[in-house]
Amino acid sequence: MILNSASTAATVTTPVHSLLVPFPVVCFTLALLTDIAFWQTGHIMWQNFSAWLLFAGIIAGVIAGVAGVLEFLFRRERRRQGAVWLHVIGYVLVLGLVFVNNLVHAADGWTAVVPYGLILSAATVLLTILFALLGRATLYRQSGVSGYE
């Protein structure tokens, strides 16, 4: 099969920030799991793991956010999408929630995780799933794939 470089088909490019977003998502999900482990065992190691995972997730999330802002500014087709603003607000909301959660985890002892840290971690994971689905739907709608309209 020979590909014609003068094809009229639109080229769909994957946003760079969507390649970076899985890193904070994994960190936030693992932080919830380590919070549950701390709740069940009371071993301080799990609290430390949670705090470090939240911190790493914030750093990776900020890097992905900066990439998203740069794409938004320099790629005209990204600005045409109406759901982008909801996605941006959700992204900032999740990062803010994680920042507060990291402050809660900075305390010592049982109360650093149970109950508020655990609740914040669960809320973070649920909001992350919600806004990830929204971002995926936006990406598929832009690329013309049916089933997400």
Side-chain angles (χ1 to χ4, degrees):
M1 176 178 189
I2 299 175
L3 296 176
N4 184 359
S5 63
S7 174
T8 59
T11 304
V12 177
T13 59
T14 302
V16 173
H17 82 278
S18 69
L19 300 174
L20 300 173
V21 166
F23 295 105
V25 170
V26 168
C27 288
F28 302 153
T29 305
L30 288 175
L32 173 62
L33 295 177
T34 55
D35 281 351
I36 293 170
F38 178 76
W39 175 44
Q40 294 300 312
T41 65
H43 198 289
I44 197 74
M45 170 188 68
W46 296 115
Q47 178 192 359
N48 292 333
F49 284 170
S50 293
W52 280 105
L53 284 165
L54 291 170
F55 180 71
I58 289 172
I59 298 300
V62 167
I63 292 170
V66 168
V69 166
L70 291 174
E71 282 181 327
F72 182 77
L73 293 175
F74 295 113
R75 289 182 150 180
R76 185 176 305 164
E77 68 272 7
R78 301 283 183 242
R79 288 185 290 236
R80 290 189 205 131
Q81 302 167 2
V84 168
W85 290 108
L86 184 60
H87 187 66
V88 169
I89 291 168
Y91 195 75
V92 170
L93 178 69
V94 167
L95 284 179
L97 189 63
V98 171
F99 181 75
V100 170
N101 195 7
N102 205 7
L103 293 177
V104 169
H105 277 78
D108 288 333
W110 181 260
T111 57
V113 176
V114 179
Y116 300 114
L118 189 58
I119 291 168
L120 288 171
S121 291
T124 298
V125 170
L126 290 175
L127 284 175
T128 301
I129 291 169
L130 175 72
F131 290 113
L133 291 173
L134 176 67
R136 181 180 168 128
T138 303
L139 177 65
Y140 279 104
R141 192 175 306 118
Q142 178 218 351
S143 64
V145 175
S146 62
Y148 279 90
E149 299 169 302

